[in-house]
Amino acid sequence: AGDVITHCEFEFSEMTDDKVDILPKLESIVIKDPSGKDVTASYSIITEKVTAKMQCRPLDITVYDKTVVYSGIPVTSDAYEITDGNILTGDSINITFNASITEVGEIENAPENITITDKDGNDVTRYYNLEYKPGSLTVKARPITVIAGNADKVYDGKPAAMTVTAKTEDGKPLD
């Protein structure tokens, strides 16, 4: 007869195994006739739940590499980029990294924990299909130049005493 549902709210169950139950809220349904008159009471409404498969939102993260010259200070990095997909407006992402290297070498730098929260602070990480490409932390050897001092002496069978200095790549004395 031209009547239409003009309002309907839904209840959603917690997602389990990538599925969510959706049920129309009976008390929220409003039906109006073509003139705009509310005719909801003229209907005997039955609601049925449906089970929907929830497809997680894809999100790829690439962790940046970091390379430094040895300084004796621990090297860490939390630099990353979302390289495919995006988070919903209002959601925020928090990624923690625990990798650290001080001595010369290279280690993997992968996220220790990734959490995505909605605008209300609810954890919505499970709604994202997270993939990440780890980066690396690299400490390279610090180049130095060792310079032997001048040690002129007449041979007497004993080793010559000599001073040695070391300079870094930029010409500064080695600390």
Side-chain angles (χ1 to χ4, degrees):
D3 297 348
V4 293
I5 296 175
T6 60
H7 184 80
C8 183
E9 295 175 7
F10 298 91
E11 280 182 30
F12 297 88
S13 68
E14 277 296 312
M15 186 170 73
T16 55
D17 298 326
D18 297 334
K19 292 185 174 75
V20 64
D21 291 333
I22 305 170
L23 180 67
K25 291 182 183 179
L26 182 61
E27 66 278 1
S28 74
I29 298 173
V30 176
I31 302 172
K32 294 189 177 181
D33 68 12
S35 70
K37 178 181 172 192
D38 185 339
V39 293
T40 308
S42 301
Y43 288 88
S44 175
I45 303 170
I46 298 171
T47 61
E48 292 183 12
K49 79 173 182 180
V50 296
T51 300
K53 180 169 175 42
M54 181 71 73
Q55 293 185 1
C56 293
R57 188 177 196 82
L59 192 67
D60 292 351
I61 297 166
T62 299
V63 178
Y64 290 134
D65 295 336
K66 183 174 184 178
T67 301
V68 300
V69 174
Y70 174 79
S71 68
I73 299 170
V75 177
T76 62
S77 177
D78 59 1
Y80 67 89
E81 176 182 4
I82 295 174
T83 50
D84 190 31
N86 57 22
I87 60 173
L88 291 177
T89 301
D91 285 0
S92 60
I93 188 168
N94 181 37
I95 302 178
T96 55
F97 295 86
N98 288 330
S100 176
I101 185 171
T102 303
E103 303 301 321
V104 173
E106 180 177 331
I107 63 169
E108 181 178 88
N109 188 25
E112 179 77 16
N113 186 43
I114 302 173
T115 305
I116 301 173
T117 53
D118 65 15
K119 64 182 177 2
D120 298 321
N122 300 307
D123 186 340
V124 294
T125 308
R126 68 183 180 274
Y127 299 122
Y128 288 85
N129 182 20
L130 298 170
E131 298 283 334
Y132 68 86
K133 178 183 170 202
S136 64
L137 298 176
T138 305
V139 175
K140 291 186 171 189
R142 185 175 181 186
I144 61 169
T145 304
V146 178
I147 306 161
N150 192 357
D152 292 337
K153 100 174 211 157
V154 174
Y155 175 74
D156 61 4
K158 296 179 183 173
M162 174 178 308
T163 60
V164 176
T165 58
K167 293 183 179 183
T168 60
E169 206 173 32
D170 57 6
K172 296 180 181 175
L174 183 64
D175 300 334

